[in-house]
Amino acid sequence: ETMSEVQTRMAKFANQVCIRHPHAMVALVSHAEPLRVLLAHWLCIPLDEVVRLRIDPAATSVVKVATDWVEVDCINVKGELVL
């Protein structure tokens, strides 16, 4: 699977989750690379620059998604996260 295919798959899945749970707080859990390309999709970062996004094991990133916008609150937070 290419990075572009992973990004398409992750974006489609995240979109389906948002449609099914429009007002819910949802956790997406995966390996670093799929999460990295999903964040790159939301931030409009080209895939050849995706290595600039650091995703450590067990780290948390917070993204607010609506129908017409995405807001990335934080990336790669370790430890307690206050929402």
Side-chain angles (χ1 to χ4, degrees):
E1 189 174 36
T2 67
M3 294 294 282
S4 179
E5 292 169 336
V6 172
Q7 188 177 57
T8 298
R9 177 173 52 84
M10 291 296 290
K12 182 179 177 181
F13 174 73
N15 187 49
Q16 290 170 344
V17 170
C18 291
I19 289 168
R20 289 184 188 144
H21 309 283
H23 303 290
M25 183 180 302
V26 179
L28 299 181
V29 180
S30 183
H31 294 282
E33 212 56 35
L35 294 174
R36 190 176 287 124
V37 297
L38 181 58
L39 284 166
H41 169 74
W42 283 329
L43 292 167
C44 300
I45 296 172
L47 286 177
D48 58 345
E49 301 291 335
V50 75
V51 294
R52 295 174 185 244
L53 295 174
R54 183 174 176 162
I55 304 293
D56 291 324
T60 303
S61 298
V62 176
V63 181
K64 295 176 184 169
V65 180
T67 347
D68 56 346
W69 59 267
V70 174
E71 181 179 281
V72 178
D73 283 347
C74 61
I75 297 175
N76 202 45
V77 175
K78 299 170 219 156
E80 184 178 349
L81 184 67
V82 180
L83 298 175

